[in-house]
Amino acid sequence: MTTTMFKYIIVGMLVAASFASCEKMIEIPAPISETSSERVFSSDKLALSALSGAMSSTTSSQAFAINLTIVNGMAADELLYAANTNYDEVATNTYLPLSAASGTSLINSLWSDIYAAIYRFNSVIEGVTASAALKDSLKTQLIGNAKFMRGLCYFYLVNLYKEVPLVLQTDVNVTSLQPKNTTAEIYTQIIADLTAAKEVLPADFTSQSGSRTVITKWAASALLARVYLYTAQWQLAKDEATNVIDNNAGLFSIGTLSNISVKNNTEAILQFGSYLSATSGYTYMGLALAASYTQYTITDTLRHSFDAADLRAQQWYRTLDYFNVITYQPYKYQNNTTGTTRLEAPTVLRLAEQYLIRSEASLHLQLTDAARTDLNIVRVRAGLGASTSTDAATLALELESERQHELFCEYGHRWFDLRRTGRINAVLGGLKSTWTAKAAYFPLPQTAINANPNLVQNPDYN
Amino acid sequence: MKLTVILLTVAFLQVQAAGFSQRITFTGKHLPLKQIFDAVEKQTGYVAFYNRDVLQTATPVSISVQDMSLANFLDLVLAREPVTYLIEGKTIYLSKKEFKETPTEIPIPRIDITGVVKNKAGELLPGASVRVIGLGGTTTTPKGTFSIGSVSEGMILQFSMVGFAPIEVVIKRTGDDWNAFPLISNYIRNVIVTKNNGLQLTIILETAISNLNEIVINKGYYTESQKLSTGSTASVDAKTIEKQPVTNVLQALQGRMAGMTIVQSNGFPGSAFTVQVRGVNSMLQNSQPLYIVDGVPFLSDAINAQTGYVINGANGATSPLNSISPSDIESIEVLKDGDATAIYGSRGANGVILITTKKGRIGKTQLDITVNTGMSRVPHMLNTLRTPEYLALRKQGFTNSGLTATVNNAPDLKTWDSTAYTDFQKLLIGNTAKATDANISLSGGDARTNFLLSGTFHHESTVYYMDKFYRRGSMNVSINHRSLDQKLSVGFSAMYLADNNTLALQDLTTLAYQLSPNFPLYNRDGSLYFNTYFSNPLGVMSVTNRNKSSNLNSSLNIRYNLLPGLDLKVMGGFGRADMDQAQLTPRAAQDPTSTTAVSRAAFAYSYTNNYIVEPQISYERALGKGKLSALVGGSWQYRKSRQPYYTIANNFTSDDFIENISSAATVSTYSSSTDYKFVSILGRVNYVYKDRYILNGIFRRDGSSRFGPNNRFGNFGAVGAAWIFSDEKFMAAQHSWLSFGKLRGSFGITGSDNIGNYQYLDSYSSTTYNYNGYTGLVPSRIANSDYKWEQTQKIEIAMELGFLKDRIRFTPAYYNNQTGNQLVSYTISTQSGFASYQANLPAKVQNSGLEFTLNTSNIQKKNFSWTSNFNISFNRNKLKSFPNIKKTSYYSTYVVGNPISSIYTYKYAGYDSTTGLPKVEDLDKNGTISFGLYPLGLGDRYFFGTQYPKYTGGFSNTITYKQFTLDFMFQFVKQIGTDILSNSLYPPGYIYNLSEDALAKYLADGPPDQRNVRANYSTAVGNYMSSDRIRVDASFIRLKNVAFSYELPIRMARQMHITAARIYVQGQNLLTFTSYKGYDPESQGLTLPPLRTFTAGLKLSL
């Protein structure tokens, strides 16, 4: 009897043991919405999808959809939040890393959005590089696109926060504890990425039937021109801008004022084909355009600084009555209704800026006439007379004013310009009683510092 | 896999051979074995095969059996023969038995025992189980009689029945006389020997309630008597549950179990509950215990949160336990320590909650009908400012802030009617919710087959002013059957529930409290008024939020008694939970001037199928002077969750077509899936020596698909021991006062796989966005294939004491749980691209504490009785160690030695006489106030205490006088809370209204000229709101439940031709004693508090 019993027990245990030892009993498939990274980079189509995912999630992120424009706009002297006092911290430049108010969290989200984008482009670069299955021509294209975008991301990071960790890979054990790099190191990397991209990116928009959402070598050149300008490499800035302005095989020309946001207008060098514009023609870049009110209004300072003859003052913002208060709504993007035939796309790089870059570079290279010529191209279109100034200092001021009026509410040019030209304390100090010099760079998000013992806060914010 | 199939086949073949239902009826005296085997061949077709010499030493056998199984027959025949057998196919192989000692010449005397089983009132009990421990047994006949043959001296008979305390009786022999003694001396009056010769017994079973000593407790894979248990459990039965007018059974458990903290997050039906069994082990702060319903693991997270996108209404994540009707529950057991939870291995770390549904009762077919109706209200409102005081405060704020009030920043002062006043609390949450419940159940059966059919219906409205409701219907079926020979038993139970929850999208309590009292709900033209500071509550209410869910939970149990003491069991379970949701936001509910004001709708459907198979072999026999039980089992579980669609549709042609997706201008659909598989082997060995010394060992090996391929398996186990010292001889003298004394202890290792699925998977996820014509793929996560099982070591030492014939029962327990290898969503700096990833931390979290349970029977008279239960638990949580914390992202958030949920606050330092604003202490003296932790040298916030309660408990009483019963229960919690003042980061004077209490407190902390009233955000006030000044005592004592009932006397009931009738009134959350000045100290803050409920009802048994 006992032996029988033991036999059953042993059989039972074996049954149970085979249950548990069988790995297959707990094998599960990947979720229906996911596919393994290995597989992604072994198929041309999926690899292109990975790039597309990185692009679309970046362009539709809050940072690129709206925050870069409004945060920089409020921190400078372009914009005010009219709805309530939530973002006062940004407008009064009193952001502090420890603040729990919504203004600071707006600033913090720029950091996480942009680094999330960088992770995706790094992931594409790593996946493509490691892949043995993809065609070389495709690999170069994918890497070129990703490097351009990584350069663009770091351009914003270095200008928002100054020194930031230069994350170029996805290994979390390394990246999560990286300390800051110097601005020089960051700019070197940006230039390396953009130069490499410029070598391989296409020279036209034919791959998408003319859609300017394709990243071309001209876009790389245009962004390089801006980076050289910011790093005071005047000749290189001038060369790159010239490359875009003069050697573009007829792709780009200065268009009409009202059309600068229209999809595929001739002035656009790069537009983001985000889902926002693809379906409704509506875009956040219009800063929550509403029929009857605005949440963001152009500051009196900006409004009053326009020359009476300046057509941009008539076309690029409009007057609204907001509960009996008059507000001035940015109107570079004009679609606020769905179903319209006017399709707009967030415009990242456009030709007018290249003229202004070349003008400024020329000025620094003592080529005053060339500087004036380029400046006048922008002025004349705006209905202002051609400048006749010959004096470099006057031209420099005219140029500053021109950049302010031409590029307002486009990803924060004004904020960056004031700082890089050393005018920030004079200009903003004169406008805002709460201005302090440390406010020129935003504080790093406290959560990032809390999570990384090697990351130190920007000076003066401790 | 192949191996499994082969082994299973082998196993089943064996089962079939031995279990072939061949019965033998045979009578004969002094017969040679050969003759007996010839008879076997004739009756069963089984042929005996043996060598000639095998039967040479065999002695003739006298035997008389009726309808006995072959195996049992052979066992009996060969019991004293030098022969052993093996059955293969239809052949019985006989071989010589190896004897170690010479067999005794004298046959062991045996006796047939007969008798009756009664209850205390003298009524005969049919269907009571009578078992010889280790050999199996029978049940009493419809007349309550039983007979059991061939019992020898020293064998133990166990009499048990649902609802009664089991009695174990040992059989003794003196000369020709036989006698029976209860194992526990307390039962000496319950075992009456009516005839010694041919032993005849009368056994009187007592209801389990009156004799807590002998409750049989369910431990999931096995049951055992509470007396002999080595582990720590707490339980609540149907009687306690039905006294409480609750929709979620967790509400009925609050305060009733030591070591269990249950917090209701809001007062909506379906609201989520935070359940902690002995504190929080994980730094994830996730303490969800494992829920098991009739053996099938139940979802612990909301049905719609299993995969994909979640739509939540005002109640937050829907508690899945809302999908079980409390009236369908027979009992709930909570397993706490290592000994009790280790059988659930990797999922036992946070405790296990076993829910057993009602089963059929033996006896005449009984129809029970219960109907009740009730109403609920918010227990109390806050004294918010009325318009004149509010506007005065606002004006003062603008003056102090140096701001000019404009239509933009002060619509309440500039635009809205300054004489208007609406009591928004009364309007929005001040109504009476009505509830109706009906339950009908039919149950009956005999000893072999019984059934239960029940249906419930529940409907309740809300305290809102609009017509929203929660409705639920459920069905419960249970059928149990045993074969004539008692060897095979089959049980099936299924529970199906469907509900419809149309509660609001958003909890209106915040608006009710914060809305400016002169806020206009309508424009002059009658349309809804909108502005940027507040949502219009009428707009919010016109958003439809509809959750329809259904839940099926079924299980099939098959048990076969293979050999005496050896049972083979298979449990198969299937469950399906689904949720169909719609959230409709018509254009009319939104500010028409906003660009985003288009009609929007979100639709989602989610379901989870759950399959489980658990084979098990259990074995029980007398061994030496004790009893050995063992079980070996396996478990395989597959949970398949799908979200076929989550669809967002925008911009419908008109609000009228808002449910017609094809009328939407833009539509995006997402779908997702999650699979989870789990496989285990488990085993348990338990030895009870002399009924006083108990040793229990448990082992489990688990594999879970939530881990990467290299780390899928983990081993868990426990050892428990108990000593019933009151049964020792040397304690006999103390029995007059100490009726029961047990010392027990256990050590166990359990785990947790309470983490997300697929965290090891390096993959890309699809998005609906596309760029340049390609749909997007984005990295899903930072994959980590190296994380391992989290492990919790549990130690417990406890005493179980009974005084004065168990009228006082007292159980003190100490435990210490340490959770290491913390499995967390590891926070990383966002520069890595993600905010976290799945990883282990070397940190150790300790929960240690004391629990005391006291049950007393204060008065026990014929017409009057009073019993009380008191429990109190103290848990201390701390981060015990965290090596190299400085090199991790946790360096700034955790302090080793402090609880994992610590409160760090600034130290309030009076007000600044120049600005009039509150100040906080610069503890680190660096000249600035910074948010970091002072104990770490990173800032100025110091350790103030913990968010976990210091102690919790309950005190319940049942008083019976003749036909009247009164129950009342107090729940108490000692804890720190946050003042309602801090629900806005803005100072009083900003556009949010507040209560007079909150304002008075704030003003008292400022200068007499009230310069701290301000109309805009101020860092000083922000710091004040995170200072120790707003930490308040949120302890409370709550009269949680009162139930008063009248039971019709049996005589009257008989005259009315019914079995029983009871009318009752019940109340829930009746009174709360607290110094907390908000809505409720339990839910705190601005959420709908748990409601005060009254119901009245009637229960009829036909």
Side-chain angles (χ1 to χ4, degrees), chain A residues 16 34 37 52 123 213 289 323, chain B residues 407 595 681 762-764 772 774:
Chain A
E34 295 182 23
S37 301
S52 157
S123 172
T213 53
L289 270 176
F323 294 106
Chain B
V407 288
T595 23
I681 49 164
D762 181 15
S763 71
Y764 273 68
N772 285 346
Y774 292 95

Side-chain angles (χ1 to χ4, degrees), chain B residues 822-1054:
Chain B
Q822 290 280 338
L823 200 46
V824 296
S825 177
Y826 189 97
T827 311
I828 43 174
S829 182
T830 39
Q831 70 195 45
S832 313
F834 284 85
S836 65
Y837 76 114
Q838 192 72 52
N840 291 102
L841 285 185
K844 252 195 182 140
V845 174
Q846 173 180 291
N847 282 285
S848 60
L850 289 170
E851 288 171 10
F852 299 96
T853 309
L854 181 69
N855 301 315
T856 56
S857 175
N858 308 326
I859 297 173
Q860 211 45 283
K861 293 272 168 60
K862 187 166 177 261
N863 276 333
F864 184 69
S865 74
W866 173 24
T867 57
S868 303
N869 297 312
F870 176 83
N871 74 77
I872 186 166
S873 327
F874 303 81
N875 183 62
R876 210 172 141 238
N877 174 287
K878 75 171 184 184
L879 179 60
K880 195 166 164 38
S881 67
F882 197 147
N884 289 324
I885 187 171
K886 286 251 174 313
K887 287 186 184 145
T888 71
S889 57
Y890 293 84
Y891 80 103
S892 60
T893 44
Y894 284 104
V895 179
V896 174
N898 284 355
I900 52 171
S901 183
S902 294
I903 301 170
Y904 294 100
T905 67
Y906 294 123
K907 200 175 189 62
Y908 174 64
Y911 64 90
D912 185 329
S913 53
T914 45
T915 61
L917 291 172
K919 276 193 311 188
V920 294
E921 202 91 62
D922 178 18
L923 291 175
D924 62 2
K925 311 268 181 254
N926 70 346
T928 54
I929 301 299
S930 45
F931 194 70
L933 303 188
Y934 176 62
L936 297 173
L938 296 170
D940 296 309
R941 287 185 308 145
Y942 75 105
F943 176 67
F944 182 79
T946 171
Q947 277 158 2
Y948 301 131
K950 205 165 175 190
Y951 57 83
T952 59
F955 178 48
S956 63
N957 288 278
T958 303
I959 298 172
T960 313
Y961 174 69
K962 290 190 173 165
Q963 303 304 117
F964 296 95
T965 305
L966 174 69
D967 284 273
F968 59 94
M969 195 275 210
F970 289 94
Q971 177 200 5
F972 57 87
V973 175
K974 173 80 178 164
Q975 63 181 3
I976 298 170
T978 313
D979 197 279
I980 196 144
L981 179 62
S982 67
N983 277 293
S984 154
L985 282 173
Y986 293 94
Y990 189 66
I991 200 163
Y992 299 145
N993 198 357
L994 75 169
S995 76
E996 284 170 22
D997 291 331
L999 178 62
K1001 180 191 170 86
Y1002 181 73
L1003 292 180
D1005 285 344
D1009 58 9
Q1010 303 185 349
R1011 269 177 298 150
N1012 55 345
V1013 170
R1014 295 176 71 93
N1016 59 349
Y1017 179 77
S1018 129
T1019 311
V1021 178
N1023 289 345
Y1024 171 82
M1025 295 296 184
S1026 351
S1027 79
D1028 49 9
R1029 261 311 274 172
I1030 58 99
R1031 297 295 170 169
V1032 292
D1033 187 8
S1035 308
F1036 63 93
I1037 299 174
R1038 166 134 60 211
L1039 179 55
K1040 184 84 193 159
N1041 170 252
V1042 174
F1044 183 69
S1045 69
Y1046 172 76
E1047 179 101 38
L1048 205 64
I1050 294 178
R1051 210 159 33 85
M1052 280 176 69
R1054 288 221 177 112

Side-chain angles (χ1 to χ4, degrees), chain B residues 626-646:
Chain B
K627 190 174 100 178
L628 175 79
S629 348
L631 75 82
V632 183
S635 173
W636 178 77
Q637 194 198 335
Y638 175 28
R639 182 181 292 169
K640 177 178 158 183
S641 302
R642 296 287 181 272
Q643 187 172 54
Y645 61 86
Y646 168 81

